[in-house]
Amino acid sequence: MKIRAATAVAVANCLAAQVVAAGLLDEQIPLSRPGNPKPSDRPNIIFVLTDDQDLHMDSLNYLPKIKERLIDQGTLYKRHYCTTAVCCPSRASIFTGKLAHNTNVTDLNPPYGGFPIFVKNGHNENYLPLWLQDAGYNTFYTGKMFNAHTVWNYDSPHLKGWNGSDFLLDPNTYDYWNATFQRNQNTPINHLGDYSTDVLAEKAYGFLDDAVSAKKPFFLGIAPIAPHSNVNSTVLNPVKGPDDDVPVSDDTFRVSIPRSAKRHEHLFPDAKVPRTDNFNPDVESGADWIRRQPKLTQENVEYNDRHYRGRLQALQSVDELVEGLVERLEQHGILDNTYIFYTTDNGYHIGQHRLPAGKECGYETDINVPLIIRGPGVPKGRISDSVTAHVDLAPTFLSLTGASLRADFDGTPIPLSEKEIELAPSTREHVNVEYWGWAISESNFGFNGGDDKRIYNNTYKALRVIGEDYNLYYSVWCTNEHELYEMNSDPGQLKNLLHKDEAVLAAQTTVLGYPLEKLIPRLDALLLVLKSCKGASCSQPWRSLHPHGNVVTLHDALSPRYDEFYEQQVRVEYSWCDSGYIVPAEGPQFEKDGVVYWEGSNWSDWT
Ligand SMILES: *[C@@H]1O[C@H](CO)[C@@H](O)[C@H](O)[C@H]1NC(C)=O
Ligand SMILES: *[C@@H]1O[C@H](CO)[C@@H](O)[C@H](O)[C@H]1NC(C)=O
Ligand SMILES: *[C@@H]1O[C@H](CO)[C@@H](O)[C@H](O)[C@H]1NC(C)=O
Ligand SMILES: *[C@@H]1O[C@H](CO)[C@@H](O)[C@H](O)[C@H]1NC(C)=O
Ligand SMILES: *[C@@H]1O[C@H](CO)[C@@H](O)[C@H](O)[C@H]1NC(C)=O
Ligand SMILES: *[C@@H]1O[C@H](CO)[C@@H](O)[C@H](O)[C@H]1NC(C)=O
């Protein structure tokens, strides 16, 4: 029997669809949420989205009000991930529930990203606030939405789906003391001399009052820019027109240390970037351009520490904003029926792997981000190990409204109740990470020990896989370099087991007792599926390889009976480095070139 791989996949998808239809996956897609909301008492949802906040440099330890009001009263998800470590693609994924390869918003600016591409790719007609309104919710938003959302293009067209909106706009989005806000259909207003996050807090409280008086359940998004670097809009030169304006696209782009409200300027005079083993290490690490970075000078390290303090100071206004929100929810008597989600678009690094301040990397500093949830049924003071990602947020919000989930969601609802956290399905063990294009230095110091502020060919696909006895990061770069870190023993990601320098260590390393030569083909096959997955194949990728469903985790896939299958599976490989999602650049595609294992048959008959 000869079946083309594509046919086999079609059959596999069809099977998966039947399984879903038959309700066999109910444990992955809970039909009711904690408290089992009736339409009359559906919960309100508040979503606080900071900008570039880290989990790995202890930012949460400097936010006492957030600790008291959110962490102690809710659950901290310490294995929450963004899937593309830069603002706009990450935000597009949050507001659509789709991975960047499915939104095709992969950059900050056109042609591959930014607000104009979000609109061009149809998402303004089909995204979270519209679905929430369809579910009977009123929707409000204030703060930063996307990059390249500007004083020139904000009304062509307006972002849809918000009953009330007050957006921060470029080129002043990151100008802490000269922010531009744009309310509903009105013209933009500059706030020279007012502190951005304090202005935003007043707007958020105002929307909260509006939302309460409308007497319907509501969603309120609040997106301050802290602790992003400051960008003084007047030093942008030249300021460009509507389609490709934007600070970051401009090579004269200059960033500086984040600025705080006056009342916080004196805080934390001795704080320093935590000196973890991967902070300015003696030995180079990583792949491609990261590996070429020289050790940072003392002057550079001191600048980094100042930058770090600026971030902590800027976050203090967010801490106060959160306290103000919780107090007002109490006063309105709706705190017990309101979920508060607190997260950030992507993580951040300062000096780890010898990198200047920035994001855009696949390392844990950049992808593993804070997520705190408090609300009805969410355990208090709990730390959850569930592996969750930004594409899970939209499904989670929708499930709280009682609306049905969309088939094209690449994520699934986050386990919220004690029971859901406890019973989180074993399939919840992977994160698909992807990136295209460049990386920038947000420091006074550039890359390569000099002034280079921008690096190209920062294009890679990566995986996090975290199971009971494994904790792995695997990546393939557009240069076809590979990385593998065993993160229980190497949390700082300093020993790339696939680099020749680590050959001795690699030869000694096993995962669940299997040597790396058995492991790598499995990870590669998983990545092959995930890099072009859609919908259920993103949350249950092994099903694409094993349609009978008897392999649902890496542990299952490692069984020796599949050795031959995985060894012959097509490998992830780039044809060239590109700066957008250009399919021919991305080498073999699972849908076209992959093979599928049918239990009981000789799979190689079909290739
Ligand atoms: C919010 O907008 C939706 C969609 O336009 C509309 O149905 C709803 O009535 C609005 N709510 C209020 C309070 O105006
Ligand atoms: C931006 O920089 C210019 C030139 O250095 C300065 O005059 C101006 O005050 C700065 N703007 C803000 C809001 O700090
Ligand atoms: C504030 O921003 C406006 C609009 O971009 C700009 O024209 C003005 O020069 C800025 N003022 C300062 C002091 O930075
Ligand atoms: C990026 O990679 C391509 C090959 O894929 C190469 O031709 C190009 O020179 C590289 N660009 C830079 C800036 O390194
Ligand atoms: C993504 O968008 C870019 C820019 O428009 C386009 O060239 C590319 O083909 C798109 N990729 C896919 C898979 O649609
Ligand atoms: C599958 O078929 C190939 C060639 O037809 C054969 O060499 C191989 O031994 C078979 N494997 C199994 C597990 O039956």
Side-chain angles (χ1 to χ4, degrees), residues 174-178 225 227-233 253-259 307 442:
Y174 310 107
D175 208 336
Y176 281 89
W177 285 95
N178 191 13
I225 50 158
H228 194 285
S229 310
N230 186 70
V231 179
N232 178 325
S233 64
F253 171 62
R254 286 293 176 271
V255 287
S256 56
I257 290 174
R259 298 178 66 185
H307 185 118
E442 299 181 25

Side-chain angles (χ1 to χ4, degrees), residues 157-433:
H158 285 283
L159 274 170
K160 296 193 175 162
W162 303 107
N163 289 88
S165 63
D166 210 329
F167 299 118
L168 277 164
L169 293 185
D170 283 344
N172 291 47
T173 301
Y174 310 107
D175 208 336
Y176 281 89
W177 285 95
N178 191 13
T180 303
F181 280 91
Q182 186 273 316
R183 190 174 182 86
N184 299 333
Q185 314 280 305
N186 306 344
T187 50
I189 295 178
N190 261 62
H191 290 261
L192 179 63
D194 295 330
Y195 187 63
S196 175
T197 307
D198 292 344
V199 176
L200 179 113
E202 290 308 318
K203 292 176 184 295
Y205 302 153
F207 279 144
L208 183 59
D209 291 344
D210 295 349
V212 172
S213 59
K215 303 210 182 317
K216 268 218 263 183
F218 63 85
F219 176 95
L220 167 59
I222 304 170
I225 50 158
H228 194 285
S229 310
N230 186 70
V231 179
N232 178 325
S233 64
T234 70
V235 301
L236 300 171
N237 181 33
V239 175
K240 298 180 199 156
D243 265 357
D244 123 280
D245 74 284
V246 223
V248 181
S249 71
D250 183 331
D251 278 340
T252 63
F253 171 62
R254 286 293 176 271
V255 287
S256 56
I257 290 174
R259 298 178 66 185
S260 72
K262 300 271 183 252
R263 62 188 181 281
H264 301 132
E265 279 173 348
H266 64 288
L267 292 173
F268 320 121
D270 304 320
K272 286 184 172 164
V273 180
R275 300 307 199 245
T276 45
D277 64 348
N278 60 5
F279 180 82
N280 201 19
D282 289 334
V283 178
E284 64 276 8
S285 59
D288 199 59
W289 63 269
I290 294 164
R291 207 175 175 86
R292 295 195 292 271
Q293 299 308 305
K295 240 194 129 171
L296 307 175
T297 61
Q298 189 53 35
E299 196 193 355
N300 193 336
V301 169
E302 281 163 16
Y303 181 88
N304 284 335
D305 286 331
R306 285 203 298 283
H307 185 118
Y308 179 68
R309 287 193 286 277
R311 288 166 57 84
L312 299 178
Q313 290 160 358
L315 278 168
Q316 298 310 301
S317 296
V318 178
D319 205 34
E320 294 172 358
L321 157 67
V322 166
E323 174 164 76
L325 275 172
V326 174
E327 282 170 354
R328 282 164 178 79
L329 289 167
E330 260 168 345
Q331 285 157 14
H332 287 300
I334 55 172
L335 181 59
D336 290 344
N337 193 32
T338 301
Y339 286 90
I340 306 177
F341 288 70
Y342 180 98
T343 189
T344 191
D345 47 7
N346 49 261
Y348 210 69
H349 55 251
I350 309 180
Q352 296 83 12
H353 304 277
R354 305 176 169 183
L355 293 166
K359 52 251 185 187
E360 295 116 16
C361 292
Y363 301 120
E364 207 69 351
T365 46
D366 295 27
I367 61 171
N368 183 206
V369 294
L371 171 68
I372 311 161
I373 307 175
R374 78 165 277 178
V378 181
K380 295 184 198 303
R382 179 89 142 85
I383 292 182
S384 164
D385 285 333
S386 281
V387 177
T388 58
H390 274 357
V391 286
D392 298 328
L393 289 168
T396 308
F397 297 147
L398 267 204
S399 73
L400 288 173
T401 71
S404 43
L405 298 178
R406 304 174 59 83
D408 60 359
F409 275 149
D410 295 338
T412 57
I414 293 171
L416 290 183
S417 66
E418 187 72 50
K419 187 161 160 243
E420 286 177 332
I421 292 173
E422 214 98 292
L423 298 178
S426 56
T427 48
R428 230 189 156 102
E429 65 165 20
H430 66 274
V431 185
N432 177 35
V433 179

Side-chain angles (χ1 to χ4, degrees), residues 304-597:
N304 284 335
D305 286 331
R306 285 203 298 283
H307 185 118
Y308 179 68
R309 287 193 286 277
R311 288 166 57 84
L312 299 178
Q313 290 160 358
L315 278 168
Q316 298 310 301
S317 296
V318 178
D319 205 34
E320 294 172 358
L321 157 67
V322 166
E323 174 164 76
L325 275 172
V326 174
E327 282 170 354
R328 282 164 178 79
L329 289 167
E330 260 168 345
Q331 285 157 14
H332 287 300
I334 55 172
L335 181 59
D336 290 344
N337 193 32
T338 301
Y339 286 90
I340 306 177
F341 288 70
Y342 180 98
T343 189
T344 191
D345 47 7
N346 49 261
Y348 210 69
H349 55 251
I350 309 180
Q352 296 83 12
H353 304 277
R354 305 176 169 183
L355 293 166
K359 52 251 185 187
E360 295 116 16
C361 292
Y363 301 120
E364 207 69 351
T365 46
D366 295 27
I367 61 171
N368 183 206
V369 294
L371 171 68
I372 311 161
I373 307 175
R374 78 165 277 178
V378 181
K380 295 184 198 303
R382 179 89 142 85
I383 292 182
S384 164
D385 285 333
S386 281
V387 177
T388 58
H390 274 357
V391 286
D392 298 328
L393 289 168
T396 308
F397 297 147
L398 267 204
S399 73
L400 288 173
T401 71
S404 43
L405 298 178
R406 304 174 59 83
D408 60 359
F409 275 149
D410 295 338
T412 57
I414 293 171
L416 290 183
S417 66
E418 187 72 50
K419 187 161 160 243
E420 286 177 332
I421 292 173
E422 214 98 292
L423 298 178
S426 56
T427 48
R428 230 189 156 102
E429 65 165 20
H430 66 274
V431 185
N432 177 35
V433 179
E434 44 195 8
Y435 201 89
W436 296 263
W438 44 263
I440 58 170
S441 163
E442 299 181 25
S443 166
N444 265 0
F445 297 80
F447 295 107
N448 305 324
D451 290 332
D452 304 347
K453 290 295 172 71
R454 200 179 271 246
I455 290 279
Y456 296 88
N457 285 350
N458 184 40
T459 297
Y460 57 83
K461 314 236 173 242
L463 278 179
R464 284 288 278 120
V465 189
I466 309 171
E468 204 160 301
D469 293 303
Y470 41 90
N471 185 2
L472 303 165
Y473 175 87
Y474 177 66
S475 78
V476 179
W477 285 73
C478 67
T479 53
N480 291 318
E481 281 168 276
H482 290 67
E483 287 170 288
L484 176 69
Y485 302 100
E486 199 296 296
M487 295 187 52
N488 287 331
S489 58
D490 180 22
Q493 297 171 294
L494 291 167
K495 298 192 172 98
N496 176 10
L497 297 169
L498 300 180
H499 190 275
K500 60 181 174 13
D501 290 358
E502 305 295 349
V504 174
L505 181 62
Q508 296 161 355
T509 302
T510 59
V511 169
L512 296 175
Y514 297 102
L516 298 189
E517 67 255 30
K518 300 288 183 200
L519 173 70
I520 299 300
R522 270 76 170 180
L523 292 177
D524 214 66
L526 178 61
L527 188 55
L528 183 74
V529 171
L530 286 172
K531 79 189 181 83
S532 57
C533 69
K534 280 189 167 53
S537 67
C538 302
S539 50
Q540 298 171 59
W542 296 106
R543 237 174 227 285
S544 298
L545 294 155
H546 299 266
H548 283 286
N550 42 355
V551 171
V552 296
T553 61
L554 175 63
H555 184 159
D556 300 340
L558 278 164
S559 167
R561 66 198 294 212
Y562 305 125
D563 282 356
E564 194 192 346
F565 170 68
Y566 281 105
E567 272 148 30
Q568 304 213 10
Q569 183 63 271
V570 60
R571 305 302 296 265
V572 175
E573 197 181 343
Y574 283 84
S575 309
W576 67 85
C577 285
D578 217 311
S579 42
Y581 182 33
I582 308 301
V583 174
E586 307 213 339
Q589 299 291 311
F590 178 70
E591 292 69 15
K592 197 157 52 72
D593 312 302
V595 291
V596 173
Y597 188 96

Side-chain angles (χ1 to χ4, degrees), residues 564 602 604-605:
E564 194 192 346
N602 184 336
S604 56
D605 288 350

